[in-house]
């Protein structure tokens, strides 16, 4: 990625301190289990180690660490029974989910030989889970429970931990990067309009405003021909140009991609939303003509770029890219009532990672439909198979909401207008899907990602403390 981010996850374990002098063998047992648990957490996140907690004071010290690190999530491992005062001081001042890891060491005890120490140390994680959730609820804290077993491995536990880490990375990406707004949203698309202060308040994402005049001049100082040539070759590796292309043909585009990449790094941009509605003459026309593939090169490297100035869909694209590796802008195109599928897609910049059926293409168009000017249009070719759609909308008070659906992309004909497009079948009829989706009150843009990701998106929603509405799966 052009701008790297890494979630910070608080990790600690709890046990009842009264057990330790009674059963000294529990001390090394618990220390070993905690070390093994930390190793099970993917290296996609940074661990903030709160240690093995058996007293209120240790819990408070762990909480001090977590607050100082601005953690995005907390994993709490239950080693055995413990009381709430082992947990609450560590998390009571945090505004992130607490995931209770109720993972038992052994599948079952040997009932004929196991003593109290074995029971307490290897098979009693479940004893306090409900108590912990009850107190977290009373404190207004978001929480989740993972239950499973260490012995023999547990795929569900590993998957849940990984999904929570992906969700935490979405929060960190919003907190550590910025969204660039160039120009303003498409005139009249009031569903896209947004209050940038409210965005920062509720989603932790700061907006940097840029005028088009600065963008037009962004490549003025790019003169290193070796760097430009390498980027031109990167563009040719990414796209097949209809009618053929070479380094000279994309030289000017490469200059601007180099400039945009440096701009993204300098301004710490994880997201970009832009719309140009001028005369598209001179330098303005030149930049407008190459912006779609140039921004596609940014998306390829992890910076979500949304057309029509839609900051909400930029967030959806960024979330999907973070959790799945693909994040494509989309909207409804048409319903094929004969085949009972919905055609979904969009023109403009896209994610090369989603173009798994065929290498992306780029061609010159005289007119961008509904917009000023013309230029290079890109088309991407998502694969058949599972697909997830994520929309982000708001209510009248500015609260955000996620809208999500899972479907399956199928082979078949699409429109021949050069736009990225998918034929998606849902578990309900196409007409019912469009009705259900529309009744949630979404913005008309949404993100698309290869695979099924509703369970991870639910976790992302809990991390951001926003509701999520599942339309179909």
């Amino acid at each position: 990625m052009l701008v790297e981010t890494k979630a910070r996850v608080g990790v600690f374990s709890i046990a009842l301190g009264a057990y330790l002098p009674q059963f000294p063998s529990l001390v090394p047992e618990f220390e070993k289990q905690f070390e093994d648990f930390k190793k099970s957490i993917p290296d996609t996140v940074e661990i903030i180690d709160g240690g093995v907690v058996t007293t209120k004071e240790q819990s408070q010290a762990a909480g001090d660490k977590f607050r100082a690190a601005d953690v995005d999530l907390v994993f709490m491992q239950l080693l055995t029974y413990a009381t709430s005062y082992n947990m609450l001081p560590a998390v009571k001042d945090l505004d992130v989910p607490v995931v209770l890891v109720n993972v038992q060491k052994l599948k079952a005890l040997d009932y004929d030989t196991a003593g109290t120490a074995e029971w307490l140390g290897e098979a009693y994680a479940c004893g306090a889970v409900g108590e912990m959730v009850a107190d977290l609820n009373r404190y207004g804290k978001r929480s989740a429970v993972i239950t499973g077993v260490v012995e023999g491995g547990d795929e569900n536990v590993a998957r849940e931990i990984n999904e929570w880490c992906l969700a935490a990375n979405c929060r960190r990406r919003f907190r550590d990067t910025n969204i660039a707004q160039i120009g303003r949203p498409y005139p009249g698309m009031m569903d896209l309009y947004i209050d940038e202060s409210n965005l920062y308040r509720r989603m932790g994402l700061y907006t940097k405003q840029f005028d088009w005049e600065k963008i037009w001049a962004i490549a003025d100082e790019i003169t290193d021909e070796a760097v430009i040539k390498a980027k031109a070759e990167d563009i040719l590796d990414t796209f097949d140009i209809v009618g053929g292309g070479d380094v000279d043909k994309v030289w000017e585009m490469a200059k601007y991609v180099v400039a945009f990449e440096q701009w993204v790094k300098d301004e710490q941009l994880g997201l970009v939303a832009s719309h140009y509605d001028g005369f598209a003459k001179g330098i303005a026309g030149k930049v407008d003509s190459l912006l779609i593939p140039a921004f596609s090169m940014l998306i390829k490297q992890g910076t979500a770029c949304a057309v029509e100035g839609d900051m909400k869909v930029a967030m959806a694209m960024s979330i999907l890219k973070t959790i799945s590796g693909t994040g494509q802008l989309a909207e409804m195109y048409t319903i094929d009532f004969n085949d009972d599928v919905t055609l979904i897609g969009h023109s403009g910049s896209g994610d090369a990672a989603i173009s798994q059926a065929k290498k992306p293409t780029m061609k010159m168009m005289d007119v961008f439909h509904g917009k000023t000017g013309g230029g290079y249009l890109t088309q991407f070719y998502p694969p058949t198979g599972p697909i997830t759609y994520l929309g982000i909308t708001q209510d009248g008070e500015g609260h955000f909401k996620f809208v999500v659906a899972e479907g399956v992309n199928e082979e078949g004909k699409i429109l021949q207008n050069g736009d990225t497009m998918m034929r998606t079948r849902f578990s309900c009829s196409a007409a019912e899907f469009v009705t259900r989706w529309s009744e949630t009150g979404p913005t008309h843009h949404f993100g698309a990602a290869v695979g099924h990701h509703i369970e991870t998106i639910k976790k992302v929603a809990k991390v951001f403390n926003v509701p999520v509405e599942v339309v179909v799966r």
Side-chain angles (χ1 to χ4, degrees), residues 218-261:
I218 201 167
D220 287 357
E221 305 301 319
I222 304 300
T223 57
D224 188 324
E225 293 194 354
V227 171
I228 298 169
K229 183 176 185 290
K231 188 52 60 179
E233 291 170 346
D234 187 14
I235 293 169
L236 295 173
D237 287 342
T238 303
F239 293 100
D240 279 335
I241 301 178
V242 176
D246 54 23
V247 166
D248 290 338
K249 189 168 186 176
V250 297
W251 187 267
E252 197 67 20
M253 183 188 300
K255 278 183 63 177
Y256 276 89
V257 173
V258 171
F260 282 130
E261 289 175 350

Side-chain angles (χ1 to χ4, degrees), residues 193-195 198 312 392-396 398-401 441 443:
Y193 295 1
I194 199 166
D195 175 343
N198 181 62
K312 282 174 272 193
I392 299 180
T393 188
Q394 289 178 279
D395 64 16
H399 299 97
F400 289 93
K401 179 176 76 170
T443 55

